Amino acid sequence: MEKEYVDKYYMTDVDAFEDSIYCHHALMGDNHIEEHQHKKGQFLYTEGGVVFLKTSDKSYFLPARHYIWIPSGVKHSIHPSSSHVVMRNLYFPKYETDTDFFDKINIYPVNDLLIELIMFTNRWNGNIFPVEEPKYSIAKAFKLILPELSQSELPLALPYPQHEKLKNIVSFLEKNISENVGFKDLSQRFDISERTLARLFQKELNMSFIQYYTILRMLTALRLLLDEKISVNEVALRVGYSSLPTFSNTFNKVIGIRPSDYVKHQNTLL
């Protein structure tokens, strides 16, 4: 049984010792973690639901079988989608051998080897100091091997629009996710030309409408699969796909695994 999450633990323990590796495994319960930052880089893996991680400009969706790397100094808040979410955190100091992989925030799928390594860290909680060998070397190796095991980053994040009309458009898409909203219909509904709307998405969000809309639908599908435990077919309909094969293919292209396989493997560590 995981212990209840200790609110604001990161304010004190994580950065208390510059050279330590800090481990924290806990059940989130009904808590969320307010905006904060660490001097250490953070590896975050979750089980039992989706976690929303918010920075100043993006909202990241962290589902099961994926982890997020958060570089040192990045302000973020963490919001679990359910009280059953378990967070597994490892915080690492900077090393001279660090590559630019550790300078950017990204989400990556977790393969079987990394799953085994995460399971191994279950025995750790709190600070691990360099004098604690071989424990420290094992924990350090966990960080050093991440770039090798994380070749494919996933676009599981959506930027925040600043333009008022685009905010309304994005809100409409979220509220009507079960409809297959067409680009032309969207431009007519909000009285904006298709050309202007296309430029607005590209300028504000650095992606096309279809890219944004597809990611929004797939992230919603992830949440439904994890939190509501409904069938893949029902999820497809709930995010606007009348064709199950089309939904499955799109899900696989974005998430890297078919929805039916994702459901089978989501509770690997539970």
Side-chain angles (χ1 to χ4, degrees):
M1 180 68 181
E2 300 293 340
K3 67 180 182 180
E4 285 291 334
Y5 207 82
V6 181
D7 192 27
K8 298 187 184 303
Y9 76 91
Y10 51 83
M11 300 289 287
T12 54
D13 294 348
V14 171
D15 291 325
F17 302 95
E18 185 178 349
D19 60 349
S20 73
I21 296 171
Y22 190 86
C23 305
H24 191 82
H25 305 267
L27 181 68
M28 286 292 292
D30 294 322
N31 296 312
H32 75 277
I33 303 176
E34 299 289 350
E35 185 177 75
H36 63 287
Q37 60 184 324
H38 316 287
K39 294 178 182 177
K40 294 175 179 174
Q42 180 179 357
F43 170 96
L44 170 59
Y45 180 87
T46 64
E47 304 156 19
V50 174
V51 162
F52 304 89
L53 186 139
K54 299 180 180 180
T55 64
S56 60
D57 62 343
K58 284 186 179 181
S59 178
Y60 293 83
F61 292 64
L62 181 61
R65 298 283 297 187
H66 295 79
Y67 81 87
I68 188 168
W69 174 260
I70 309 166
S72 62
V74 173
K75 290 184 178 180
H76 59 281
S77 58
I78 300 174
H79 310 261
S81 65
S82 80
S83 59
H84 305 295
V85 171
V86 173
M87 291 179 59
R88 304 195 182 281
N89 299 279
L90 290 169
Y91 300 85
F92 298 94
K94 291 184 178 181
Y95 300 117
E96 291 183 1
T97 54
D98 283 357
T99 64
D100 58 4
F101 171 89
F102 298 105
D103 294 333
K104 54 187 179 181
I105 184 169
N106 261 321
I107 292 174
Y108 304 91
V110 171
N111 63 16
D112 291 340
L113 175 56
L114 196 50
I115 286 286
E116 292 297 326
L117 292 173
I118 294 169
M119 292 176 69
F120 189 84
T121 70
N122 264 343
R123 66 197 70 190
W124 302 332
N125 250 309
N127 287 294
I128 302 175
F129 297 100
V131 295
E132 298 179 72
E133 293 291 7
K135 188 196 299 188
Y136 187 86
S137 290
I138 295 171
K140 182 179 179 180
F142 185 103
K143 177 184 180 182
L144 299 183
I145 202 173
L146 286 178
E148 187 69 26
L149 299 181
S150 311
Q151 298 296 314
S152 56
E153 58 191 63
L154 295 180
L156 301 181
L158 288 174
Y160 302 127
Q162 300 300 316
H163 192 280
E164 203 59 41
K165 178 159 281 191
L166 193 55
K167 285 182 182 178
N168 294 333
I169 290 171
V170 166
S171 177
F172 173 80
L173 292 173
E174 291 172 349
K175 291 175 182 176
N176 297 275
I177 198 71
S178 62
E179 300 178 20
N180 188 3
V181 180
F183 188 68
K184 183 176 181 179
D185 293 337
L186 197 63
S187 69
Q188 291 175 348
R189 176 180 288 273
F190 286 91
D191 192 26
I192 182 172
S193 73
E194 293 181 48
R195 183 179 179 183
T196 301
L197 183 57
R199 287 165 55 185
L200 197 55
F201 266 93
Q202 200 64 53
K203 180 181 177 182
E204 281 275 310
L205 306 177
N206 199 31
M207 62 179 72
S208 68
F209 162 75
I210 195 64
Q211 287 174 317
Y212 184 93
Y213 192 34
T214 300
I215 294 172
L216 174 64
R217 293 163 92 182
M218 293 306 104
L219 295 180
T220 304
L222 278 172
R223 181 181 58 77
L224 292 172
L225 286 170
L226 285 170
D227 291 348
E228 299 196 18
K229 305 294 191 298
I230 56 181
S231 70
V232 173
N233 191 56
E234 176 64 19
V235 168
L237 293 173
R238 292 270 291 270
V239 295
Y241 284 85
S242 57
S243 166
L244 183 57
T246 301
F247 167 71
S248 182
N249 290 337
T250 306
F251 190 97
N252 185 42
K253 184 177 180 180
V254 174
I255 309 300
I257 186 174
R258 295 203 172 275
S260 54
D261 293 330
Y262 181 80
V263 171
K264 291 177 186 175
H265 296 306
Q266 64 175 289
N267 293 323
T268 301
L269 289 184
L270 298 178

